[in-house]
Amino acid sequence: NAGVMQNPRHLVRRRGQEARLRCSPVKGHSHVYWYRQLPEEGLKFMVYLQKENIIDESGMPKERFSAEFPKEGPSILRIQQVVRGDSAAYFCASSPSGTGDNEQFFGPGTRLTVL
Amino acid sequence: DQQVKQNSPSLSVQEGRISILNCDYTNSMFDYFLWYKKYPAEGPTFLISISSIKDKNEDGRFTVFLNKSAKHLSLHIVPSQPGDSAVYFCAASYYGNNRLAFGKGNQVVVIP
């Protein structure tokens, strides 16, 4: 019974390149969330998606960041033209429902380093 | 703005003793609270939760207490074990809003 899978675990990009982070939720979960953790900080909500729909992207920067959760395949968080300030750990979580009163299961994270 | 606050960023406790972690929140709409445990280079792992209709929830060595009037909750771990050494995050949400608001975390070190 696989949990949330994320890849790659580590990603190094130079300034100006694109970063693509992938997340496969727990089997049967249709609700996916992305969080970002900066050094010495807690996790900050970025975006909440269901299959083929973005439900809440209020925590995501307006520029350079986008997310999708297609009908088939993993959820993707895409960061275009990365800058040093994008260096962080990006965590994906999933839940079986979206009512806000159930736990979210987290993946191991992708650690993005921008040189 | 930080809606969930965890002060006292680190805690050292002797094995076998009680660890107490505190968390305060500012958003009155929060009605569901969770504690997550995180080891370095891993994702957060769910530990225990509590709904606002309760004031206590217990699961083995872990107990969470909720004081709604004070907007305060605490996590008690007893007895503490060396494997409990980790960062503990308090998180909150409310019905109809799926995002979790996290505190900055507390580092717990259990000394054998």
Side-chain angles (χ1 to χ4, degrees):
Chain A
N1 187 14
V4 177
M5 310 283 281
Q6 288 188 251
N7 67 83
R9 294 292 307 273
H10 300 274
L11 182 61
V12 178
R13 285 287 177 266
R14 295 191 180 279
R15 280 179 296 170
Q17 291 184 320
E18 178 180 289
R20 280 187 179 237
L21 289 61
R22 295 175 192 77
C23 168
S24 296
V26 172
K27 190 175 181 180
H29 288 190
S30 59
H31 301 260
V32 165
Y33 315 82
W34 286 92
Y35 293 83
R36 176 166 67 175
Q37 184 184 24
L38 296 170
E40 309 301 323
E41 296 285 325
L43 283 73
K44 296 278 199 269
F45 169 81
M46 298 181 74
V47 61
Y48 160 45
L49 311 103
Q50 292 182 34
K51 285 285 187 182
E52 300 184 276
N53 284 304
I54 297 175
I55 307 301
D56 179 358
E57 57 182 346
S58 58
M60 200 153 66
K62 296 280 187 288
E63 298 178 354
R64 301 188 298 106
F65 285 72
S66 63
E68 63 177 9
F69 188 18
K71 188 176 180 181
E72 301 290 338
S75 174
I76 306 283
L77 179 67
R78 183 182 177 206
I79 311 172
Q80 295 178 288
Q81 300 173 337
V82 296
V83 301
R84 289 222 173 102
D86 297 332
S87 295
Y90 292 83
F91 293 97
C92 171
S94 72
S95 67
S97 73
T99 56
D101 61 348
N102 54 84
E103 64 185 87
Q104 294 178 13
F105 296 83
F106 282 80
T110 293
R111 274 139 193 90
L112 173 65
T113 301
V114 179
L115 301 177
Chain B
D1 65 340
Q2 194 74 21
Q3 298 185 74
V4 177
K5 298 178 183 177
Q6 293 178 256
N7 295 322
S8 306
S10 64
L11 170 72
S12 290
V13 63
Q14 206 72 35
E15 181 179 2
R17 298 289 186 99
I18 185 170
S19 295
I20 299 176
L21 303 173
N22 294 300
C23 177
D24 297 291
Y25 61 95
T26 58
N27 190 338
S28 301
M29 292 185 69
F30 287 147
D31 57 11
Y32 190 65
F33 305 89
L34 311 90
W35 284 93
Y36 282 85
K37 175 181 176 180
K38 186 180 179 303
Y39 293 118
E42 294 185 12
T45 302
F46 171 76
L47 207 53
I48 192 168
S49 64
I50 188 166
S51 162
S52 61
I53 61 174
K54 295 184 175 182
D55 54 20
K56 177 182 174 181
N57 189 25
E58 193 172 351
D59 184 1
R61 296 186 298 114
F62 304 93
T63 303
V64 56
F65 297 91
L66 174 63
N67 182 333
K68 287 190 292 294
S69 60
K71 294 194 181 69
H72 177 84
L73 62 155
S74 62
L75 174 68
H76 292 208
I77 306 172
V78 56
S80 299
Q81 299 175 353
D84 296 332
S85 296
V87 176
Y88 290 78
F89 290 99
C90 174
S93 68
Y94 57 88
Y95 193 88
N97 183 313
N98 300 78
R99 61 166 79 182
L100 289 177
F102 280 86
K104 291 190 176 183
N106 289 125
Q107 173 73 58
V108 172
V109 176
V110 179
I111 304 163

